[in-house]
Amino acid sequence: DYKGQKLAEQIFQGIILVSAVIGFIYGYITEQFGWTVYIVMAGFALSCVLTLPPWPMYRRNPLKWLPVQESGTEEKKAADRKPKRHSKS
């Protein structure tokens, strides 16, 4: 559902943003860029675990699909088709 997709996107972006800010600050204080990368990667992994599986919180508003309509016979379908003609230019 669309509301679940929006929620998953907001959670994903929020976790990435927070982990990037925390990683940057911690990396700046310790003067180690590696820590910044590790913290951002941990945030990415956490956000993937929270948003990629179809958790029930993302499936609260299912879409209502149209009912299946019965189609005509194959003969009718074949008769409705027109042969394709290619124009020569």
Side-chain angles (χ1 to χ4, degrees):
D1 65 61
Y2 294 117
K3 291 181 182 180
Q5 289 177 1
K6 182 179 179 182
L7 177 62
E9 182 69 22
Q10 288 174 340
I11 291 172
F12 183 80
Q13 289 180 357
I15 291 173
I16 294 294
L17 180 66
V18 169
S19 67
V21 169
I22 291 171
F24 178 77
I25 292 171
Y26 187 75
Y28 184 78
I29 290 170
T30 60
E31 298 179 0
Q32 293 289 321
F33 182 72
W35 280 107
T36 301
V37 174
Y38 293 143
I39 292 172
V40 170
M41 288 189 331
F44 178 76
L46 176 66
S47 64
C48 285
V49 167
L50 291 177
T51 59
L52 290 180
W55 298 108
M57 66 182 172
Y58 302 131
R59 296 183 288 150
R60 291 184 180 162
N61 304 303
L63 297 175
K64 293 180 178 133
W65 296 89
L66 292 175
V68 176
Q69 296 179 352
E70 293 296 323
S71 60
T73 63
E74 289 296 321
E75 296 170 4
K76 183 178 178 184
K77 288 182 184 178
D80 289 342
R81 291 187 207 141
K82 294 181 181 178
K84 293 183 180 180
R85 297 180 186 217
H86 298 286
S87 62
K88 295 180 181 178
S89 25

